[in-house]
Amino acid sequence: MGLSAFWGAHIRAFDHFGGVPATVVYDRTKTVVRRHVRPAHAVPLHPAAVAFSGHYGFEIDVLGAYRPTGKGRVERQVAIVRDHVLAGRTFTDLADVDRAFADWVPIRRGQVHRTLPRTRAVPPGQLIGERAAVDHAALRPLPAQPYLVADAHLRRVGKDALVSFEASLYSVPADRVRAGQRVEVRAGTDSVAIAALTCDGGQILCVHPRATTKGSWIVDPAHWAGLPDGHTRATTVDPDPHPGHVVTAAPSAPAPVELLEQLVAAKVGHVHVDHRPLSVYADVIRPHNHPGETNEFPCHPTYH
């Protein structure tokens, strides 16, 4: 379950009950807990959970590790709904499921609550509907604006000013982005907003309805106004910065072969070559002989 589905279910639940509880108890799910820690250590919360709870004004209570009894009443509701509403039925769409729940709620509220604590404030044998009215009166009011739930994803802008998300393409204004630029896709339940990253200003570039089928092209033709269409081949000449100035042709440069011959001739004419007999080099290699030994390098005539 993604963040949009998880927190979107919270929004619909708060709207259904008409208020917000003071505290919501959670298991250690990844949508609420950023990472798991050892027992007796503070649990780091997911940034989305902190933002959502701050918007609606409720506290987050995370269950202790290895404490399954702390969520028994919640898990029991799953079995009740499955056996009393879903078992033996087929549904055509989500609205059909909602109608089945609406028909079952009055029946459920007329039953006696069997797990309420036996205190003076709660008399035994209280109806679920009576208890629900007390709980609803204790809820905090809803904020003026609902929280905008969206999953954030990083994507690159293509050369055609399109961004790929969930196998569908969404257009962005070509005059406000560049090819290869990274943008943030904020996917909500019914819409997709594309925003620039913080380093690029963080502004919302465009908002599209969310694609219902894969392979869809959600394009605003106005976004392609800044792209080259391939039909413009006009040329122009910059104005002369020095009017009246006569441009003369540069003297022709010599051919590469001629230039090479000139360089070789210039170098050879300045190189001095000394002539020595070979016996000089033999003396340098082995200048001293022991008594009775001869130089193994014979002297040769001088070569020039």
Side-chain angles (χ1 to χ4, degrees), residues 29-76:
T29 177
K30 292 182 179 179
T31 48
V32 177
V33 176
R34 190 168 187 175
R35 68 176 183 275
H36 296 293
V37 296
R38 294 179 297 174
H41 285 71
V43 179
L45 298 177
H46 195 286
V50 176
F52 185 86
S53 62
H55 181 81
Y56 282 93
F58 66 87
E59 297 292 334
I60 295 178
D61 184 8
V62 180
L63 285 177
Y66 310 107
R67 295 291 299 275
T69 56
K71 55 179 181 176
R73 292 185 179 181
V74 176
E75 298 293 345
R76 175 58 182 158

Side-chain angles (χ1 to χ4, degrees), residues 19-267:
V20 181
T23 303
V24 180
V25 182
Y26 294 98
D27 196 3
R28 301 198 169 201
T29 177
K30 292 182 179 179
T31 48
V32 177
V33 176
R34 190 168 187 175
R35 68 176 183 275
H36 296 293
V37 296
R38 294 179 297 174
H41 285 71
V43 179
L45 298 177
H46 195 286
V50 176
F52 185 86
S53 62
H55 181 81
Y56 282 93
F58 66 87
E59 297 292 334
I60 295 178
D61 184 8
V62 180
L63 285 177
Y66 310 107
R67 295 291 299 275
T69 56
K71 55 179 181 176
R73 292 185 179 181
V74 176
E75 298 293 345
R76 175 58 182 158
Q77 303 304 314
V78 177
I80 293 175
V81 170
R82 182 182 58 209
D83 297 340
H84 293 196
V85 182
L86 305 179
R89 297 184 181 182
T90 57
F91 305 96
T92 57
D93 53 16
L94 186 59
D96 195 11
V97 179
D98 291 339
R99 286 190 294 268
F101 271 93
D103 295 340
W104 173 72
V105 167
I107 300 174
R108 182 63 178 170
R109 291 196 173 193
Q111 297 176 353
V112 177
H113 207 302
R114 295 180 296 178
T115 59
L116 287 175
R118 300 301 185 221
T119 62
R120 294 182 179 179
V122 181
Q126 188 179 25
L127 294 178
I128 295 178
E130 297 175 356
R131 175 66 187 207
V134 176
D135 292 341
H136 291 175
L139 296 176
R140 298 177 179 179
L142 292 169
Q145 296 294 332
Y147 186 82
L148 178 60
V149 180
D151 292 329
H153 307 269
L154 289 181
R155 291 293 186 271
R156 287 186 181 274
V157 179
K159 295 181 179 180
D160 48 5
L162 294 177
V163 175
S164 176
F165 175 68
E166 291 185 344
S168 295
L169 296 175
Y170 298 86
S171 65
V172 291
D175 56 350
R176 300 180 62 185
V177 296
R178 60 186 182 277
Q181 177 180 341
R182 285 184 177 271
V183 294
E184 185 180 63
V185 177
R186 301 173 184 175
T189 306
D190 302 319
S191 63
V192 171
I194 302 177
L197 299 183
T198 305
C199 58
D200 296 326
Q203 299 178 350
I204 299 293
L205 300 175
C206 57
V207 179
H208 291 287
R210 189 162 184 171
T212 56
T213 58
K214 292 184 177 181
S216 301
W217 285 50
I218 313 299
V219 176
D220 183 354
H223 290 170
W224 284 346
L227 289 177
D229 55 7
H231 298 290
T232 303
R233 299 186 178 182
T235 59
T236 183
V237 177
D238 292 336
D240 188 359
H242 305 288
H245 178 72
V246 179
V247 180
T248 58
S252 58
V257 177
E258 298 176 358
L259 181 61
L260 180 60
E261 293 177 351
Q262 295 175 6
L263 292 175
V264 172
K267 290 293 182 182

